[in-house]
């Protein structure tokens, strides 16, 4: 059922994207909206076992990379904390330059009026994570999530 829900939301979002509505919806997200979405994403209970911070302390530095750096920037993630550290977002080039092995790739971020679809990959663990956030009673919550080992 979760997969069907995510698939339907994705198809609706992609349909909206084809008509230019998704970008305008995502630009309406506030810095606080981004903070909530990314905080919920990194804190998602099923994801915790993949961090392996007990055996590799460098994984305590949660890093996001995006190909669309103009849409999502570090300022929007200010205040997102994991393992007592500020989460950061950097360019793909900086990932290479700094030889960072553990990072999340923001594959897609699709928005509509009351929901947000976020897809991340976590290459070091071979994971693809899909989240559906909905605005319920003026609060963003995860209504569906799926982790797939690829």
């Amino acid at each position: 059922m979760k997969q069907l829900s995510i698939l339907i939301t994705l198809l609706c979002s992609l349909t909206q994207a084809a008509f230019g509505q998704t970008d305008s919806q995502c630009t309406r997200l506030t810095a606080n909206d981004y903070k909530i979405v990314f905080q919920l994403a990194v804190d998602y209970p099923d994801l915790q076992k993949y961090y392996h911070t007990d055996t590799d302390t460098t994984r305590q530095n949660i890093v996001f990379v995006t190909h669309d750096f103009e849409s999502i920037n570090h300022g929007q993630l200010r205040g997102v904390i994991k393992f007592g550290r500020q989460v950061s977002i950097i360019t793909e080039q900086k990932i290479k330059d700094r030889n960072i092995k553990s990072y999340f790739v923001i594959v897609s971020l699709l928005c509509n009026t009351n929901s947000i679809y976020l897809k991340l990959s976590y290459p070091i663990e071979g994971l693809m994570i899909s989240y559906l956030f909905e605005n319920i009673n003026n609060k963003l919550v995860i209504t569906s999530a799926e982790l797939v080992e690829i």
Side-chain angles (χ1 to χ4, degrees):
M1 187 66 178
K2 283 184 183 180
Q3 292 174 336
L4 180 60
S5 174
I6 290 174
L7 179 62
I8 289 170
T9 301
L10 177 60
L11 289 174
C12 290
S13 298
L14 289 174
T15 301
Q16 289 178 339
F19 292 100
Q21 296 176 8
T22 299
D23 288 341
S24 66
Q25 292 293 336
C26 283
T27 59
R28 293 181 189 169
L29 293 179
T30 66
N32 193 55
D33 292 333
Y34 280 100
K35 178 183 171 187
I36 291 167
V37 164
F38 282 87
Q39 189 70 64
L40 289 169
V42 297
D43 288 342
Y44 187 67
D46 292 350
L47 180 60
Q48 304 313 298
K49 66 183 177 185
Y50 294 99
Y51 286 123
H52 302 295
T53 58
D54 54 335
T55 58
D56 183 356
T57 57
T58 65
R59 291 187 181 207
Q60 291 177 350
N61 298 315
I62 303 298
V63 176
F64 287 94
V65 63
T66 179
H67 301 291
D68 188 11
F69 199 71
E70 298 301 316
S71 298
I72 304 170
N73 61 57
H74 184 71
Q76 293 164 321
L77 299 187
R78 188 165 290 124
V80 179
I81 306 294
K82 187 68 179 171
F83 306 117
R85 300 173 185 200
Q86 171 67 51
V87 167
S88 61
I89 184 165
I90 60 177
T91 63
E92 193 171 8
Q93 187 59 50
K94 285 184 182 178
I95 292 281
K96 291 175 185 174
D97 292 347
R98 296 178 186 173
N99 199 28
I100 297 172
K101 302 290 184 215
S102 178
Y103 57 90
F104 288 91
V105 177
I106 302 169
V107 176
S108 61
L109 179 68
L110 304 170
C111 309
N112 63 35
T113 306
N114 290 314
S115 63
I116 300 167
Y117 174 79
L118 174 65
K119 187 171 189 174
L120 303 172
S121 70
Y122 192 37
I124 197 166
E125 288 292 323
L127 270 183
M128 196 65 83
I129 312 118
S130 301
Y131 300 94
L132 177 61
F133 302 86
E134 293 188 55
N135 190 342
I136 299 174
N137 297 324
N138 292 320
K139 183 178 178 183
L140 282 169
V141 296
I142 296 173
T143 56
S144 181
E146 181 180 28
L147 282 78
V148 177
E149 293 183 18
I150 48 175

